[in-house]
Amino acid sequence: MTETPVGRRERKKAATRKALADAALELFVARGFDQVGVREIAEAADVSTATLFKHFPGKEALVFDEDEALEAALVSSVRDRPAGQSVVTALREYIVRRMDDRSQDPAIGQLRELIHSTPALIEYGQRLWMRHETSLARAIAEAHGLPEDDPACAALAHFALAARFLRQRRSAPEESVDRAFDLLEHGWAALSAH
């Protein structure tokens, strides 16, 4: 997540935010996303509905509470990659590792099941993930000494982020992601030669 809050006010905000997210997740897992209202979540966290909306723009946001940290990690995977490693390989490793790491935690398994069984959460999660396209494209351009609005860098950022969703609709999810990154790394001609 984000940096540890240092002041009393920041700690209180972080505690309220965590209480809301925890209460929401508990209620969503127990009863389903669509069967739980924001008023119930606020009551479970012992805050007002207005307070809930100060911390989260909507009910879906309660499920996805890592947006800033996620963007920083994506950009870092490009900027802080080992010398000699390609941008595509760095992105592949980050995205695959993120998918694998998250699948090992039982609580994350419950969260993933909730998300994949709720169309509104699937759509929201995809939009949230793809919001990082511009900052990732800038990091890729910077890594290659290109203008920040370079269209090839924008395309690479878009398709690298979108590759993650191939996993959801395929019988061999890991292979699907690998093939997408092979295409990004080597191009269509190399991939179609097989």
Side-chain angles (χ1 to χ4, degrees), residues 155-169:
L156 176 56
H158 178 82
F159 291 115
L161 291 172
R164 174 180 187 221
F165 304 115
L166 291 173
R167 174 182 183 134
Q168 297 169 0
R169 298 182 291 269

Side-chain angles (χ1 to χ4, degrees), residues 59-81:
K59 194 165 91 164
E60 294 85 359
L62 286 153
V63 177
F64 299 93
D65 191 27
E66 302 178 340
D67 197 39
E68 289 178 25
L70 177 60
E71 183 175 40
L74 274 165
V75 168
S76 178
S77 73
V78 171
R79 287 186 178 147
D80 302 333
R81 70 190 189 286

Side-chain angles (χ1 to χ4, degrees), residues 2 6 11 16 117 189:
T2 55
V6 289
R11 283 193 309 270
T16 300
S117 66

Side-chain angles (χ1 to χ4, degrees), residues 34 45 61 79 101 112 117 123 135 185:
D34 293 325
R79 287 186 178 147
D101 287 349
R112 184 175 281 161
S117 66
E123 183 182 326
S135 55
E185 184 82 56

Side-chain angles (χ1 to χ4, degrees), residues 8-24:
R8 181 174 179 231
R9 184 177 185 163
E10 289 80 15
R11 283 193 309 270
K12 187 173 180 182
K13 282 183 183 180
T16 300
R17 188 173 175 83
K18 182 175 180 353
L20 284 162
D22 290 349

Side-chain angles (χ1 to χ4, degrees), residues 53-174:
F53 285 118
K54 285 180 185 174
H55 292 277
F56 296 95
K59 194 165 91 164
E60 294 85 359
L62 286 153
V63 177
F64 299 93
D65 191 27
E66 302 178 340
D67 197 39
E68 289 178 25
L70 177 60
E71 183 175 40
L74 274 165
V75 168
S76 178
S77 73
V78 171
R79 287 186 178 147
D80 302 333
R81 70 190 189 286
Q85 184 181 55
S86 74
V87 166
V88 175
T89 299
L91 286 169
R92 177 196 311 235
E93 286 181 5
Y94 173 76
I95 290 170
V96 169
R97 184 178 63 246
R98 180 169 170 77
M99 291 186 305
D100 289 345
D101 287 349
R102 294 177 65 107
S103 66
Q104 313 250 335
D105 182 341
I108 297 300
Q110 286 183 318
L111 178 61
R112 184 175 281 161
E113 188 177 320
L114 171 70
I115 292 168
H116 292 297
S117 66
T118 311
L121 292 177
I122 292 170
E123 183 182 326
Y124 185 86
Q126 288 176 348
R127 279 195 328 265
L128 197 63
W129 176 253
M130 295 305 291
R131 277 186 1 180
H132 305 303
E133 187 177 327
T134 302
S135 55
L136 182 58
R138 284 186 189 127
I140 293 167
E142 179 185 308
H144 290 284
L146 297 168
E148 71 176 34
D149 64 345
D150 183 83
C153 296
L156 176 56
H158 178 82
F159 291 115
L161 291 172
R164 174 180 187 221
F165 304 115
L166 291 173
R167 174 182 183 134
Q168 297 169 0
R169 298 182 291 269
R170 303 289 185 271
S171 58
E174 286 76 18

